[in-house]
Amino acid sequence: MVGLLDRFEDRLDRMVNGAFARAFKAEVQPVEIAAALQREMDDRAAVVARGRTVVPNLFIADLSPTDDERLSVYRDTLERELITLVTDYAEQQSYTVLGPIQVDLARDDSLETGIFRIHSEARSGVTADSPAPLPGQPSLTAGLVHHALVHPVTRLGRGNEADIRVDDPGVSRVHCEVVLGAPTVVRDLGSTNGLSVDGTRVTQASLVDGSSITIGQTTLIYRSG
């Protein structure tokens, strides 16, 4: 752990010629944020299966107005280096992440100089071969990504045979399917962990605009178009 933090500081020093050391004296030190991200992963680590421990992959570091202003000129560099550190630490600890790692620095006017907070979330990576939906076309939304429902039947799951692939250890290889019609329905396909629609466990349910489909730890929103 110490080795990763030392390398993190060395890389920053080389990139900005010691600017970080001059900019941060009484204020938040970048290495403090890096160490807090490592602690956050350890504290939020969840064993979901034998030999498989899931940790957050999305992190937000809230900074005071003073610290945020001092960091602003280095923000892109620091965020990239923090992502590298989180990635290296997850590999070192044999942790599993559900999607791409992201670290964002944000301003919080309620914080005093030298104080910061870390928020984190484990968010699955959801991919599909279908194009983005056209206006009026039904779709499923995961986070900010929209997947057009271009086939009468669309299968969701963790395996390559799924039309929409959900990288979530709680999702079966072929978990459920969405069947377009009047009404459109979602059906469980004998998955291990089941299916919920709008918070209710179901084997099959009709969907309306805004219905939430939860499989594993992943929630997708149905849009009727």
Side-chain angles (χ1 to χ4, degrees):
M1 174 174 173
V2 174
L4 288 179
L5 294 178
D6 287 343
R7 291 199 294 273
F8 169 78
E9 282 194 298
D10 288 344
R11 286 198 304 268
L12 288 182
D13 235 16
R14 289 196 301 270
M15 287 181 181
V16 296
N17 298 318
F20 277 102
R22 294 193 298 272
F24 291 87
K25 294 180 180 177
E27 294 80 12
V28 167
Q29 300 288 333
V31 72
E32 293 178 309
I33 301 174
L37 291 172
Q38 291 184 337
R39 290 195 299 272
E40 180 75 5
M41 281 193 286
D42 292 336
D43 292 344
R44 295 286 305 278
V47 178
V48 297
R50 186 174 180 179
R52 189 175 175 91
T53 301
V54 173
V55 294
N57 58 303
L58 302 182
F59 301 86
I60 297 175
D62 289 333
L63 302 170
S64 71
T66 300
D67 290 316
D68 181 69
E69 183 177 351
R70 286 177 176 270
L71 268 176
S72 60
V73 68
Y74 313 117
R75 186 181 305 276
D76 291 343
T77 297
L78 181 52
E79 288 178 344
R80 286 196 303 270
E81 287 303 312
L82 288 170
I83 290 171
T84 297
L85 177 126
V86 169
T87 302
D88 290 346
Y89 187 64
E91 291 177 355
Q92 183 185 82
Q93 302 299 111
S94 298
Y95 287 150
T96 297
V97 292
L98 301 180
I101 292 174
Q102 180 177 336
V103 179
D104 294 319
L105 303 178
R107 173 176 171 142
D108 187 331
D109 291 335
S110 69
L111 294 177
E112 297 181 1
T113 301
I115 304 298
F116 67 94
R117 278 194 300 256
I118 301 291
H119 306 276
S120 66
E121 178 184 350
R123 183 178 297 172
S124 302
V126 181
T127 59
D129 295 328
S130 60
L134 299 172
Q137 190 171 39
S139 64
L140 290 176
T141 297
L144 299 177
V145 181
H146 309 282
H147 303 287
L149 298 175
V150 296
H151 305 294
V153 179
T154 300
R155 297 184 299 172
L156 287 71
R158 189 161 45 87
N160 290 331
E161 59 268 47
D163 301 303
I164 295 179
R165 294 182 298 279
V166 181
D167 185 11
D168 182 327
V171 172
S172 298
R173 292 188 61 81
V174 181
H175 198 106
C176 64
E177 62 183 11
V178 174
V179 182
L180 297 181
T184 294
V185 299
V186 59
R187 297 177 184 143
D188 185 85
L189 295 176
S191 66
T192 301
N193 295 316
L195 164 73
S196 294
V197 173
D198 296 329
T200 301
R201 186 71 172 261
V202 297
T203 56
Q204 176 173 316
S206 299
L207 299 176
V208 297
D209 188 66
S211 292
S212 65
I213 301 170
T214 300
I215 54 178
Q217 298 298 314
T218 300
T219 297
L220 302 98
I221 305 300
Y222 171 71
R223 294 299 179 189
S224 65

